[in-house]
Amino acid sequence: MTPPGSLAVLVPAYNEAEVIGEFHRRLAAVLDTLPMRCHVLYVDDGSRDATWDLVDALSRTDERVQALRLSRNFGKEAAMTAGLDHIDADAVVVIDADLQDPPELIPALLERAAQGYDVVYATRARRDGETWFKRFTSAAFYRTMERLSHTPVPRDTGDFRLMNRRAVEAVNALRERQRFMKGLFAWIGYRQSSLVYDRDARNAGTTKWNYWRLTNLAIEGVTSFSSAPLRVASWLGFAAAMLAFVYAAWVFLKALLWGDPVRGYPTLMVVILFLGGAQLLAIGLIGEYVGRTYAETKRRPLYYIEDRRGDVREPPPRD
């Protein structure tokens, strides 16, 4: 395969002022060794610290640096979308700025892509700096997605990956408002390969992904790529109805054959609470899907650009 003539590194950043300088130093050292045209696109997702000021300074000292500043914090998925829309290169590497994903792995991604792969994603063998509970919940999420989704999402794989131009254009054609990028990267298909690596601990600063945000992202992923929760609600309703029918038949037979009086206020309350909980669960699941449909019908833009640095191309008009 012909090596790419140009490489772009997409770096979504939110409140990463403590680490952005060291990240760029290490990234620039890697780019200096690559035999191709390279540039870096930082996307500041509405940071409240000095992230944009530091990126602005980098753009003045390194001509390879381009930057976009979103008008507010739209979320990492929107920041990556904005970056992919504005990038014009033969190959794109998506990487976070916290240095958990080492920039030194980029040459290995390029070598694997040279074997004919459209997408090379980095799979984590070890996750330093994370609690056992976070590692457990992450593994559980990926394995749950593997069973529920019709689109296989690679296990233990984040957004760190390399994509060629064909794969980038395919992702850019997907303009849904409720975005789960790991699923979209997998959904486009093409030839994909995994590169296993050990993930480092965060170099500086604190993670922006608390358990609440991670839970919402997990719900986003499941509801975006699977209708299994709706089927679960249907089967739960069917099972509750069958149990109620069997129990009603048993009560009737006892009264008919043995004259057993109907008693059991606690049992009645348990049944009512069980059925009420099952109904609320089903309504909540339906509400999740209805809410996503409602968000899609409004067709709001995925992001707005407040400022830019460097020679950032204007993307083609999209829906």
Side-chain angles (χ1 to χ4, degrees):
M1 293 291 292
T2 303
S6 58
L7 172 70
V9 180
L10 169 58
V11 187
Y14 177 64
N15 292 344
E16 297 290 2
E18 295 180 66
V19 73
I20 202 78
E22 175 64 14
F23 169 81
H24 188 76
R25 185 191 66 79
R26 286 175 54 179
L27 176 62
V30 173
L31 298 184
D32 289 339
T33 66
L34 298 179
M36 61 190 68
R37 299 190 312 275
C38 301
H39 70 270
V40 186
L41 176 60
Y42 289 98
V43 181
D44 179 12
D45 187 24
S47 296
R48 296 191 298 269
D49 63 1
T51 297
W52 177 250
D53 295 331
L54 294 174
V55 170
D56 183 21
L58 290 173
S59 70
R60 300 176 190 277
T61 58
D62 189 339
E63 62 181 9
R64 294 173 299 190
V65 173
Q66 301 173 351
L68 295 173
R69 186 181 191 184
L70 303 189
S71 61
R72 65 170 178 83
N73 177 230
F74 286 90
K76 184 183 178 184
E77 315 296 294
M80 284 191 289
T81 301
L84 293 174
D85 283 345
H86 288 79
I87 277 177
D88 184 14
D90 297 331
V92 177
V93 170
V94 182
I95 185 171
D96 292 340
D98 55 17
L99 288 174
Q100 288 186 282
D101 302 324
E104 292 79 9
L105 203 62
I106 292 177
L109 295 175
L110 287 166
E111 289 179 8
R112 182 65 61 84
Q115 299 174 16
Y117 294 103
D118 297 280
V119 179
V120 182
Y121 52 85
T123 299
R124 300 175 289 239
R126 193 182 71 236
R127 301 165 64 105
D128 292 338
E130 295 183 358
T131 64
W132 71 266
F133 183 72
K134 186 172 183 179
R135 292 194 298 270
F136 169 77
T137 54
S138 177
F141 166 72
Y142 283 109
R143 283 147 185 79
T144 300
M145 282 292 297
E146 190 175 69
R147 290 182 174 275
L148 295 183
S149 175
H150 298 300
T151 302
V153 177
R155 289 185 179 185
D156 305 317
T157 300
D159 299 310
F160 185 28
R161 67 192 63 221
L162 180 145
M163 297 179 288
N164 65 13
R165 192 69 223 167
R166 179 168 71 162
V168 171
E169 290 296 336
V171 172
N172 286 343
L174 306 176
R175 306 309 292 178
E176 56 201 67
R177 270 62 184 169
Q178 306 295 317
R179 303 182 72 78
F180 179 65
M181 297 301 288
K182 298 175 186 63
L184 296 182
F185 291 146
W187 187 88
I188 62 173
Y190 298 125
R191 296 193 62 192
Q192 303 202 12
S193 178
S194 171
L195 184 68
V196 180
Y197 76 110
D198 293 330
R199 196 178 201 210
D200 298 330
R202 168 179 273 274
N203 182 269
T206 57
T207 179
K208 313 309 180 294
W209 291 95
N210 54 36
Y211 285 111
W212 175 254
R213 296 188 68 182
L214 287 171
T215 300
N216 287 333
L217 181 64
I219 294 174
E220 192 75 58
V222 172
T223 54
S224 295
F225 285 88
S226 175
S227 59
L230 293 176
R231 296 196 193 97
V232 170
S234 299
W235 282 109
L236 181 62
F238 177 77
M242 291 301 298
L243 286 174
F245 176 79
V246 171
Y247 184 71
W250 170 244
V251 171
F252 177 77
L253 285 175
K254 283 204 306 180
L256 183 65
L257 297 178
W258 298 291
D260 191 14
V262 178
R263 44 170 110 86
Y265 175 77
T267 303
L268 179 62
M269 288 302 300
V270 168
V271 171
I272 291 175
L273 292 174
F274 170 75
L275 292 178
Q279 289 172 344
L280 290 174
L281 174 63
I283 292 172
L285 289 173
I286 295 171
E288 287 288 339
Y289 285 90
V290 171
R292 278 152 178 73
T293 302
Y294 174 60
E296 293 293 331
T297 60
K298 290 187 287 189
R299 302 185 64 81
R300 290 175 178 168
L302 298 175
Y303 58 84
Y304 280 112
I305 303 296
E306 179 179 340
D307 205 350
R308 62 186 69 212
R309 293 291 183 272
D311 187 21
V312 185
R313 75 151 188 171
E314 285 294 333
R318 302 184 189 274
D319 294 336

